[in-house]
Amino acid sequence: MSELDRLRSQRIPGVRTVLVVLSAAGMVYDVEALRQKVLLAYPEAAVFFITTVGKPIGPAAPQNVDLLIDFTGPRQRQGLFFPKRFRRCARVAVGRDVGVFRKRIYDRVYDEGRNASKLPADTLARERIVQREVLKLAGIALVQSGDTPPDRGKVIATELPPYSKL
């Protein structure tokens, strides 16, 4: 319950347009799943997507947006002044603390360096955790789904009691 209250307090009022900068390392959610998650949090918003090099995916975003969600991570190709350009066009900017400018110019930043010991070494597992945290900073709730259990097909037969003869 406290997690939901914290997420509600993170919501940004008056969001009508959202620009999402996709990560080049790996995306945990596809474009339509991200659109659905953003629309559940901000039902009146129009969602636009752009790559780290600035190419739009789908319709082009307007010049000014209300919310910027930047998933660009460390060592990903992006222009030096892209974060400043994105920040100028957004009312509220949320992203990851990578590069030179983001910690100072973005409104809400997830610091990967401070949480590096908690993050796994696997790239996709790391992206999953970091992208969830960035979405939480943007006020977007995620439904937690369980991971698939390990395959026990060969072990189950050895754990069954022997058949009794009738």
Side-chain angles (χ1 to χ4, degrees), residues 38 48 91 115 137:
V38 171
F48 301 96
R91 185 172 55 109
N115 301 319
L137 287 175

Side-chain angles (χ1 to χ4, degrees), residues 29 37 40 132 140-146:
Y29 307 104
K37 291 180 186 322
L40 286 173
R132 282 183 181 172
I140 299 170
L142 297 173
V143 176
Q144 298 296 331
S145 62

Side-chain angles (χ1 to χ4, degrees), residues 109-128:
V109 176
Y110 178 72
D111 190 5
E112 286 183 64
R114 191 177 70 197
N115 301 319
S117 62
K118 299 175 187 174
L119 297 175
D122 180 41
T123 304
L124 194 56
R126 180 185 207 93
E127 287 292 318
R128 178 180 298 120

Side-chain angles (χ1 to χ4, degrees), residues 26-82:
M27 288 302 301
V28 178
Y29 307 104
D30 63 357
V31 174
E32 292 306 318
L34 272 174
R35 185 182 316 273
Q36 177 196 22
K37 291 180 186 322
V38 171
L39 289 177
L40 286 173
Y42 303 106
E44 299 174 357
V47 184
F48 301 96
F49 296 95
I50 193 168
T51 63
T52 56
V53 293
K55 296 187 181 204
I57 297 175
Q63 291 296 323
N64 294 321
V65 294
D66 294 321
L67 176 62
L68 167 71
I69 302 172
D70 190 358
F71 289 126
T72 306
R75 295 176 300 280
Q76 294 179 13
R77 285 183 41 190
Q78 190 178 44
L80 183 62
F81 296 106
F82 261 40

Side-chain angles (χ1 to χ4, degrees), residues 95-106:
R96 297 163 74 169
D97 182 26
V98 294
V100 182
F101 305 112
R102 291 188 194 152
K103 193 168 190 174
R104 290 189 308 229
I105 64 174
Y106 280 12

